[in-house]
Structure formats: C-alpha cells, structure tokens
C-alpha cells in the first residue's frame, strides 16, 4: 500500500511542477488545456475503489461522522481520500492556471496560489477568486475609487485622522514594550493589551472616518460626531498604555483611588462613545446613499457596532466571587470581568487571549465592534459581482441578520460559561441551524433574483415584439 501511495503522488507531481515553475512554456500551456491531466490520479482512485465498492458504498451513500472517520482512519480509506484530493486539486489547479491566462494575471501572483492549492486545495481556490475579483475591480477603477474615497475621508476628518496616527504610533511603542518589558499582568504580557487595542482602534478610526464621509459634508453634526468619538476613544487609548506602564490593569480596577478614577473616566468615555455611535447610526439612516446595497451594509455595520458595544456593559457587573470577597473583606479591588465561570487571566487563545476554559464576553464584543468593517466590506465585495442591485441588497440584509444571530449566540455561549473553543452539542446545533439558514436563504435570494431578471427580459422582449407588430 505504501508503494501505491507514493506512486499516486508521483502521477500528479510533474503536472504541478509545470504549472508552478514553467507557466509560460508552451508545452505547459498545451498540457494544461487538456482535462486529461487529472485522469491518472482519477484512474488510481477508480482501481482502488472498484474491488471494495460494496463495503465502502454504504458509508458514502449514508454518511455519518463516525462512519466517515472510521473509513478515513483505515489505510485503504486514507489512500482513497488522498487519491480523491490529488485528482480534484489538480483539476482545480488547471482551471486556476487557465483562468489566470485568460485574465492575463502575472505568474508571479499565480504560482504561489497554485502551490497553495496543491497544499490546501480550497484555500488556494478561494485565494484565487478573491485575487481575480480584486484585479478585475482594480482594472475597472472600482478599488482605486474606493481607496481614494477612504483617503479623502481620512483627510477630511482631522480628529479621526489624528486618532488613527496616534494609534499607529502606539502600535510601534507597544510592540517595543513587548520586546523590552517582560512584566506579566493577569497572565499576559503587560504591553499585549495596548497593542491589541491600538490595532483595533486604528482600524475603527479609519473606518469611522470613511463611514461619516457619507453624511452631508460640512454638517455641524458630522464635526460634532468626529470630535466626540475621537476624543472619547482617545481618552481610553491614553489610559490603557498608562496603566500598562504602571504595571496594573486598566479595566475593572478599583485597587487604589487613582485606579478607580481612571476606570471611572474610561466608563464615562465609553458611554459617551456608545451614545455617539447610536446618533451616527440614526444619521446614516436618514442619509441617501446611491448604492442601496452599500448603504444597507454601512447602516447595518454601524447598528451592529452599537450591539457589540452594548455587550461590553455586561462585563461591568461584579461577579459572585467578587461580591463574596467584598462581603468578607469589606473591599472590592476588582469590579467586573470578561470571563464567565473562571477568573480573568487564565489560559487563552494566542494573542487574542480569549479563554479556552470558560466563557468570554470579549468574543461577542469583538465580533460586534468589527461589524463596522465587515458589513460594508461584504457590500463592496458583492459590488464586484454581476448580480443585480436588488440581489446584492438582499444578500447584505441576510448577512446582517446572520451576523446579529452570531453575536447573540456568542453572548449566549459566554454567559453559559462555555469556551469558544469547546462548544457543546447545543451550541454546535444552533450554529449549524444559523449557518444553514443563512446559506439557504442566500441561495433562494440569488435564484429569485435571476428569475426576476429573466422574467423582466421576457417581458421586455414581448413589449418589443408587440411594438413591432
């Protein structure tokens, strides 16, 4: 079996070598134009499966996780899976190669993607689709116009631009702190939290400047929102590194009168920011934006960011352990926590720090806050497609509804004390229902849109025919 396994890999290796390392050679092009390059690996699969089809067919026709795991866990099953990968990955690599030639994409871009397809098939495929869409959009001028609009928005919003560059500088300072300062605060490097917040706020300030640019230029409310939101976030981004420098926590800290005052100031700033985000969302609802799908993405993104901010307020209530400690010691040095079911500072995911042992409200908080980027981005990416504006509008709405459902599920999971990396059956079931529902409704929306386009075309043709008659 080991010899057959090695032979199957050798059947596709020459073709991949040509596609990746000799993409401009005319022999490579001639070979790639034939779909038969995947035939040897497909034949190896056929030879292996035919004598065993009776034993394997029930598992394939009625798949279950234990059954598929048992099949793939055997030498024969693993070989079958490998031959399957070899044949279809090569066929997909061939398609990518030919499509790249049609779009005149540089082999310097495509060869790494082909290697990625060889190693991790679907990831390479998705990477190529995104690259091709980006290149086509760039050639059509769409991306250049979008980048120009973001830069123009940043330049037009002085306070948010100042906040952006302040956090860019803070990213450098916090990175240096991680290297030079080895102190640990609640189980994490002292400068890790300032770094994470600086990255997030830099993205937030740039996106917010772009979002507010859709409001009437020069309006008093735009200037008020820009200065208010930049100032409130700026206050937080001064206190967080200050507390890291002092070697203590910034959130929930009531250890000393100074710590209490600083956290109180942060609480006021966050509340004002929350109100300002609500006002911005209301203003965006009243503003006319030409692209309806993009308008919906911006409005939903802003509204869901409010939801994400609201999740943060759930962290400020004292935990049962903190209240018990206060009752016994008549002091409460820490009020609030982001971890549910365990103290803050335990084992967590790399960099993010989200608890791997208990619930963590920061997950839903993070996902909600970054709706401000993801919903408009989804609308912009859909704008690169050939779907009608009505279909794109529906898809953005479906994605927004699913996003809200995801935030709700993450909050529910955290409040149950369940780690994001250790979901139980109920959580997996609800995630499956949400994912399938969003996917099915999106498919229905796409097909309904195509039907409407065909119906409109038929109606238009009949009108032309009647006019001609």
């Amino acid at each position: 079996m080991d010899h057959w396994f090695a032979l199957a890999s050798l059947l596709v290796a020459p073709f991949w070598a040509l596609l990746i390392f000799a993409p401009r050679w005319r022999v490579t092009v001639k070979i790639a134009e034939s779909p038969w390059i995947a035939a040897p690996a497909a034949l190896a699969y056929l030879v292996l499966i035919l004598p065993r089809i009776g034993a394997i067919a029930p598992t394939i026709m009625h798949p279950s996780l234990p059954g598929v795991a048992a099949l793939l866990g055997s030498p024969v099953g693993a070989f079958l899976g490998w031959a399957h990968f070899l044949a279809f990955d090569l066929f997909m690599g061939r398609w990518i190669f030919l499509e790249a030639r049609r779009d005149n994409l540089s082999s310097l871009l495509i060869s790494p993607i082909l290697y990625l397809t060889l190693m991790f098939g679907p990831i390479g495929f998705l990477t190529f689709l995104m690259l091709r869409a980006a290149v086509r959009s760039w050639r059509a001028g769409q991306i250049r116009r979008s980048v120009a609009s973001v830069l123009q928005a940043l330049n037009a919003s002085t306070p948010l631009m100042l906040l952006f560059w302040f956090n860019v500088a803070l990213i450098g300072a916090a990175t240096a702190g991680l290297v030079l300062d080895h102190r640990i605060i609640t189980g994490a490097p002292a400068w890790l939290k300032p770094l994470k917040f600086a990255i997030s706020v830099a993205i937030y300030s740039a996106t917010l400047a772009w979002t507010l640019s859709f409001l009437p230029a020069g309006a008093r409310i735009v200037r008020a929102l820009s200065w208010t939101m930049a100032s409130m976030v700026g206050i937080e981004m001064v206190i967080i590194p200050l507390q890291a420098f002092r070697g203590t926590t910034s959130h929930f800290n009531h250890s000393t009168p100074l710590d209490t005052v600083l956290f109180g100031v942060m609480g006021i700033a966050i509340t004002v920011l929350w109100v300002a985000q609500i006002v911005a969302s209301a203003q965006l609802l009243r503003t006319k934006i030409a692209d309806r799908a993009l308008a919906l993405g911006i409005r939903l993104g802003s509204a869901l960011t409010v939801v994400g901010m609201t999740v943060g307020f759930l962290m400020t209530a004292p935990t049962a352990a903190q209240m018990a400690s206060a009752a016994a010691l008549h002091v409460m040095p820490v009020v609030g926590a982001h971890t549910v079911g365990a103290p803050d500072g335990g084992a967590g995911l790399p960099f993010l720090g989200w608890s791997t042992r208990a619930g963590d409200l920061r997950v839903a908080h993070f996902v909600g806050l970054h709706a401000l980027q993801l919903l408009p981005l989804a609308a912009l990416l859909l704008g690169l497609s050939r779907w009608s504006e009505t279909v794109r509008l529906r898809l953005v709405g479906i994605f927004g509804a699913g996003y809200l459902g995801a935030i709700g599920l993450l909050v529910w999971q955290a409040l149950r004390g369940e780690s994001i990396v250790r979901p139980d059956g109920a959580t997996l079931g609800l995630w499956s229902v949400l994912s399938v529902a969003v996917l099915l409704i999106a498919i229905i929306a796409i097909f309904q849109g195509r039907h409407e386009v065909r119906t409109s075309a038929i109606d238009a043709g009949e009108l032309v025919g009647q006019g001609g008659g």
Side-chain angles (χ1 to χ4, degrees):
M1 187 68 71
D2 290 341
H3 297 296
W4 286 107
F5 183 85
L7 178 61
S9 300
L10 289 175
L11 290 174
V12 301
F15 300 116
W16 278 113
L18 289 173
L19 295 177
I20 295 172
F21 298 109
R24 296 183 179 275
W25 191 25
R26 60 183 181 181
V27 174
T28 302
V29 177
K30 194 70 176 177
I31 291 174
E33 287 175 347
S34 171
W36 287 94
I37 64 172
L43 183 62
Y45 179 87
L46 183 66
V47 169
L48 186 67
I49 198 172
L50 278 179
R52 303 169 175 84
I53 192 69
I56 294 172
T59 301
I60 296 175
M61 295 176 66
H62 303 285
S64 65
L65 183 58
V68 173
L71 174 61
L72 295 179
S74 66
V76 171
F79 191 179
L80 278 172
W82 186 243
H84 189 128
F85 295 154
L86 291 175
F88 278 80
D89 285 355
L90 180 56
F91 195 82
M92 182 53 61
R94 166 188 174 269
W95 179 83
I96 291 172
F97 177 84
L98 295 175
E99 287 293 299
R101 283 184 58 81
R102 291 190 186 98
D103 281 8
N104 197 26
L105 299 179
S106 170
S107 58
L108 294 177
L109 293 174
I110 299 305
S111 290
I113 291 177
L114 286 170
Y115 182 76
L116 190 61
T117 306
L118 169 63
M119 294 291 103
F120 307 98
I123 298 178
F125 171 64
L126 289 174
T127 303
F128 172 72
L129 291 182
M130 290 187 289
L131 172 67
R132 186 177 65 171
V135 170
R136 286 178 176 179
S137 180
W138 179 265
R139 289 171 178 171
Q142 291 173 301
I143 290 182
R144 278 174 284 183
R145 288 192 294 271
S146 298
V147 171
S149 70
V150 171
L151 294 176
Q152 183 179 3
L154 272 175
N155 290 328
S157 179
T158 301
L160 290 169
M161 185 175 67
L162 290 173
L163 179 64
F164 172 78
W165 288 115
F166 173 77
N167 280 278
V168 170
L170 183 56
I171 290 171
T175 302
L178 285 175
V179 175
L180 301 174
D181 186 350
H182 301 291
R183 290 176 299 166
I184 301 296
I185 301 175
T186 59
W191 290 96
L192 180 60
K193 184 172 183 176
L195 176 61
K196 292 189 295 184
F197 270 72
I199 294 172
S200 183
V201 170
I203 297 171
Y204 173 77
S205 57
T207 312
L208 184 61
W210 176 73
T211 300
L212 295 181
S213 71
F214 287 92
L215 299 178
R220 188 176 299 175
I221 186 65
V222 178
R223 292 195 299 272
L225 285 171
S226 297
W227 280 106
T228 300
M229 300 174 89
S231 301
M232 295 304 102
V233 179
I235 289 172
E236 186 174 16
M237 293 313 299
V238 168
I239 293 175
I240 289 173
L242 172 64
Q243 291 293 73
F245 178 78
R246 295 180 62 227
T248 188
T249 57
S250 52
H251 289 73
F252 321 125
N253 192 346
H254 293 263
S255 300
T256 68
L258 177 60
D259 293 322
T260 300
V261 169
L262 290 175
F263 182 57
V265 170
M266 288 178 63
I268 294 171
I270 292 169
T271 303
V272 173
L273 176 66
W274 177 69
V275 173
Q277 188 71 51
I278 293 174
V279 174
S281 300
Q283 291 296 317
L284 288 166
L285 282 174
R286 298 170 54 188
T287 302
K288 185 176 181 180
I289 301 174
D291 188 327
R292 293 190 299 154
L294 178 59
L296 182 60
I298 291 171
R299 290 163 182 162
L300 287 175
S302 183
L304 289 174
T305 298
V306 173
V307 175
M309 290 179 174
T310 306
V311 174
F313 293 112
L314 297 176
M315 306 179 195
T316 59
T319 66
Q322 291 167 358
M323 295 180 69
S325 176
L329 304 175
H330 304 289
V331 64
M332 194 181 295
V334 179
V335 181
H338 48 72
T339 308
V340 180
D344 285 349
L349 292 175
F351 188 75
L352 294 170
W354 298 338
S355 177
T356 55
R357 296 180 180 176
D360 200 321
L361 288 164
R362 290 178 297 178
V363 184
H365 184 56
F366 175 89
V367 171
L369 288 179
H370 288 287
L372 192 68
Q373 293 86 40
L374 295 179
L375 268 297
L377 179 61
L380 288 171
L381 290 176
L382 287 171
L384 304 179
S385 70
R386 297 180 180 178
W387 290 323
S388 67
E389 185 182 53
T390 301
V391 171
R392 290 188 285 112
L393 184 67
R394 291 170 181 167
L395 290 176
V396 172
I398 293 165
F399 181 48
Y403 203 99
L404 177 61
I407 296 173
L409 276 177
L410 289 171
V411 171
W412 176 73
Q413 184 179 8
L415 292 177
R416 292 169 60 227
E418 182 181 272
S419 169
I420 185 67
V421 298
R422 295 183 179 181
D424 61 12
T427 302
L428 289 175
L430 287 174
W431 276 114
S432 299
V433 170
L434 178 64
S435 302
V436 171
V438 169
L439 180 60
L440 288 179
I441 296 171
I443 292 172
I444 291 170
I446 293 170
F447 278 98
Q448 185 179 5
R450 290 182 175 178
H451 174 71
E452 290 170 355
V453 170
R454 285 196 297 268
T455 303
S456 299
I458 292 171
D459 292 342
E462 290 176 351
L463 286 174
V464 172
Q466 290 171 5

